[in-house]
């Protein structure tokens, strides 16, 4: 496999996509502002009609009022996007620890007694040496049975590597090492800093996708059964008359939010997919074992556990993970990761998945027989 060529091509594609990402954020703000213009014009026209035509100054006053509405409408969305992004930048200033805690991971101590977690620590130490990157703190998502992992942080000093319990339980040492090597590539190539910036930037755009839903159904965060949520929903419009105003505002803003969410997911998926190829190529370099990465991808597909994360923040962090963390419509467009077939064919051409699984099963049975004579 031509590792150098793959890395050069992936970096070139990633650079292009980063530029497209920046342009896309600007274009989204302009697009959403333009979509809001008809509403602003109608509102301004209503305000203008309140002036008596007989007044000499009515035209000037109406024009000023209309321009004020137009200017306010054009500035509102960019300001809202910017403020939400800056808030997320502030929240993430502490580094990867914030994201690990946000997704309910538990930090693993260096002297951990659990053999699987001890093995994880050893593998991470090995990949730290192989990549020349400072070892990040180690975290485990105890409640996630899926096979997945991610690394996050501004730099090596505040970075974390998070692994699901399913990955510890389902992968052998070589497969786990390949996944950890993949994550160290993100640290080495500066992907983590880009990913955190992307979280902040997309938070600004995505808030416009959440606002309509909150206006239409303000009690979306209420816990309880479906009937309880339905009761809260009906009560909002029966007991709170202003709820109908929120409903109308939500319906009017929904198209804007939908466009914002569409482009946010599109940009995130495009940037993330290209960088996964680079990380796979680097993982093979670190481990010197292309079969291990292809085997890990094959085992994930065969295990039935998959890579889907159940936590509520999985969607916001989906581009950080080793594998596709959430279900998406139109995977060819919105998937944050390439298919396993694509990744296997590039990392280990000619790899025989069925033969690997048969050999793996034989080795596993043999190991169990030795452990229990």
């Amino acid at each position: 496999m031509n590792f150098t060529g793959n890395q050069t091509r992936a970096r070139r594609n990633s650079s292009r996509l980063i530029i497209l990402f920046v342009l896309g954020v600007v274009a989204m703000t302009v697009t959403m502002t333009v979509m809001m213009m008809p509403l602003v014009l109608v509102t301004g026209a209503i305000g203008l009609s309140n002036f008596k035509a007989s007044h000499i100054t009515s035209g000037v006053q109406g024009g000023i009022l209309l321009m004020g509405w137009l200017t306010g409408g054009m500035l509102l969305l960019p300001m809202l996007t910017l403020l939400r992004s800056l808030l997320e930048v502030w929240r993430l200033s502490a580094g990867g620890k914030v994201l690990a805690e946000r997704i309910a991971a538990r930090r693993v101590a260096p002297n951990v007694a659990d053999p699987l977690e001890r093995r994880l620590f050893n593998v991470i130490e090995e990949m730290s040496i192989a990549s020349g990157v400072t070892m990040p703190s180690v975290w485990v998502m105890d409640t996630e049975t899926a096979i997945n992992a991610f690394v996050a942080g501004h730099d090596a000093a505040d970075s974390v590597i998070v692994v699901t319990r399913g990955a510890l339980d389902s992968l052998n040492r070589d497969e786990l090492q390949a996944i950890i090597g993949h994550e160290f590539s993100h640290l080495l190539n500066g992907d983590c800093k880009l990913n955190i910036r992307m979280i902040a930037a997309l938070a600004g755009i995505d808030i416009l996708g959440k606002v309509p839903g909150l206006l239409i159904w303000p009690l979306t965060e209420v816990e309880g059964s479906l009937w309880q949520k339905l009761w809260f929903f009906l009560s909002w419009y029966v007991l709170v008359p202003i709820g109908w105003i929120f409903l109308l505002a939500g319906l009017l803003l929904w198209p804007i939010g939908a466009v914002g969410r569409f482009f946010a997911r599109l940009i995130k998926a495009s940037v993330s997919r290209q960088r996964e190829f680079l990380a796979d190529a680097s993982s093979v370099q670190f481990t010197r074992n292309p079969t291990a990465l292809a085997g890990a991808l094959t085992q994930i597909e065969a295990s039935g556990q998959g890579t889907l994360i159940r936590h509520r923040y999985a969607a916001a962090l989906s581009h950080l993970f080793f594998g596709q963390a959430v279900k998406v419509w139109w995977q060819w467009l919105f998937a944050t990761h390439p298919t396993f077939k694509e990744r296997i064919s590039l990392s280990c051409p000619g790899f025989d998945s069925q033969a690997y699984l048969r050999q793996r099963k034989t080795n596993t049975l043999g190991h169990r027989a030795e452990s229990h004579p």
Side-chain angles (χ1 to χ4, degrees), residues 85-135:
S85 295
L86 290 176
L87 175 62
E88 194 67 9
V89 168
W90 176 76
R91 287 178 174 176
L92 298 176
S93 60
K97 177 183 176 182
V98 176
L99 296 178
E101 292 175 342
R102 184 177 293 183
I103 206 161
R106 168 183 57 85
R107 186 165 184 174
V108 179
N111 59 346
V112 62
D114 184 291
L116 293 179
E117 293 181 5
R118 181 68 253 174
R119 182 186 68 173
L120 173 64
F121 234 100
N122 292 338
V123 167
I124 292 176
E125 287 176 335
E126 293 169 3
M127 289 297 95
S128 174
I129 295 172
S131 63
V133 176
T134 302
M135 181 174 172

Side-chain angles (χ1 to χ4, degrees), residues 231-365:
W231 166 252
F232 283 125
F233 177 69
L234 294 175
S235 298
W236 173 251
Y237 294 109
V238 173
L239 302 179
V240 186
I242 199 174
W244 291 99
I245 298 177
F246 287 129
L247 174 62
L248 178 60
L251 293 175
L252 290 173
L253 289 175
W254 181 84
I256 302 173
V259 172
R261 185 160 288 185
F262 171 86
F263 278 96
R265 292 178 178 176
L266 179 64
I267 294 168
K268 179 170 67 172
S270 299
V271 174
S272 180
R273 278 199 298 264
Q274 293 299 322
R275 290 193 171 265
E276 292 306 309
F277 288 126
L278 172 58
D280 282 348
S282 297
S283 174
V284 173
Q285 281 191 321
F286 297 153
T287 63
R288 303 294 179 184
N289 186 1
T291 301
L293 179 62
L297 295 168
T298 298
Q299 174 60 16
I300 292 173
E301 282 191 306
S303 67
Q305 301 298 327
T307 57
L308 298 182
I309 302 299
R310 295 171 295 180
H311 196 275
R312 57 182 295 190
Y313 284 115
L317 308 184
S318 59
H319 59 292
L320 273 64
F321 282 90
F322 172 80
Q324 187 71 35
V326 295
K327 290 183 179 180
V328 294
W329 294 96
W330 300 339
Q331 292 194 13
W332 60 274
L333 187 62
F334 294 127
T336 54
H337 293 69
T339 65
F340 284 171
K341 183 178 180 180
E342 290 177 294
R343 296 172 69 176
I344 291 173
S345 64
L346 285 175
S347 62
C348 188
F351 180 78
D352 188 335
S353 299
Q354 295 303 316
Y356 176 85
L357 290 174
R358 287 194 298 269
Q359 183 62 41
R360 189 182 190 280
K361 183 177 180 179
T362 301
N363 293 341
T364 301
L365 292 174

Side-chain angles (χ1 to χ4, degrees), residues 25 34-35 48 55 71 75 104 108 151 197 229 324 332 354:
V25 172
V34 170
M35 292 183 65
L48 181 60
H55 289 180
T71 303
L75 293 178
V108 179
V151 66
R197 290 173 180 171
K229 292 183 178 182
Q324 187 71 35
W332 60 274
Q354 295 303 316

